[in-house]
Amino acid sequence: MTSKIYFENLKIYAFHGVLPEEKMIGTYFILNVEIHADLWKAVGTDDLNDTINYAEVNEIIHNEMQIPSELMEHVCGRILKNIKLKFPQITFIKVKMSKTSPPMQGEMDGVSVEIEQDFL
């Protein structure tokens, strides 16, 4: 059985970007993370040890967002890697990261990068 866990529209202020002002001023980033794992045991046991601890995943995301990087791809990769290291039972992870105020011409809601990996 595959179950899915979603972190939806997690808003974090951080300092990622290539331009010097992005590293000094920062902006909001929106993260969406999808995790697949067999969580059927937790359905019956009601035991935190039988599932993916959402609070620990949230902490991994926040910790990685505090490390300034030039590329969103790099941040997404670190988030994905560290979630998988903490929870080896995960079979799939998708991380989408959106920069809400990219320093570019034109009016937009943001620019996003999405990476995913299947561990089957």
Side-chain angles (χ1 to χ4, degrees):
M1 168 197 257
T2 297
S3 304
K4 298 178 183 179
I5 297 169
Y6 296 97
F7 282 77
E8 299 178 292
N9 299 320
L10 179 58
K11 188 175 184 180
I12 301 173
Y13 200 87
F15 300 87
H16 307 300
V18 175
L19 301 176
E21 56 268 24
E22 292 179 286
K23 294 173 186 159
M24 290 175 43
I25 299 168
T27 192
Y28 281 104
F29 292 83
I30 307 295
L31 286 104
N32 288 274
V33 178
E34 179 180 339
I35 297 169
H36 297 191
D38 182 351
L39 305 178
W40 186 247
K41 187 174 180 184
V43 171
T45 65
D46 195 29
D47 186 338
L48 182 60
N49 294 313
D50 294 332
T51 190
I52 307 297
N53 186 325
Y54 318 139
E56 291 181 13
V57 172
N58 188 55
E59 184 177 350
I60 290 168
I61 295 168
H62 276 83
N63 287 342
E64 293 304 323
M65 287 297 291
Q66 296 312 308
I67 302 169
S69 297
E70 291 194 358
L71 302 178
M72 291 192 295
E73 293 88 341
H74 185 68
V75 181
C76 289
R78 289 195 325 258
I79 291 169
L80 189 150
K81 178 182 137 197
N82 285 302
I83 292 171
K84 177 62 175 169
L85 283 173
K86 180 69 178 177
F87 300 101
Q89 68 269 40
I90 290 173
T91 59
F92 173 86
I93 304 173
K94 178 170 31 176
V95 179
K96 180 181 177 186
M97 181 176 175
S98 303
K99 183 181 285 191
T100 60
S101 298
M104 297 186 291
Q105 290 182 338
E107 188 174 326
M108 65 180 87
D109 291 334
V111 173
S112 301
V113 169
E114 182 176 276
I115 64 165
E116 60 184 63
Q117 187 166 1
D118 198 330
F119 299 100
L120 292 178

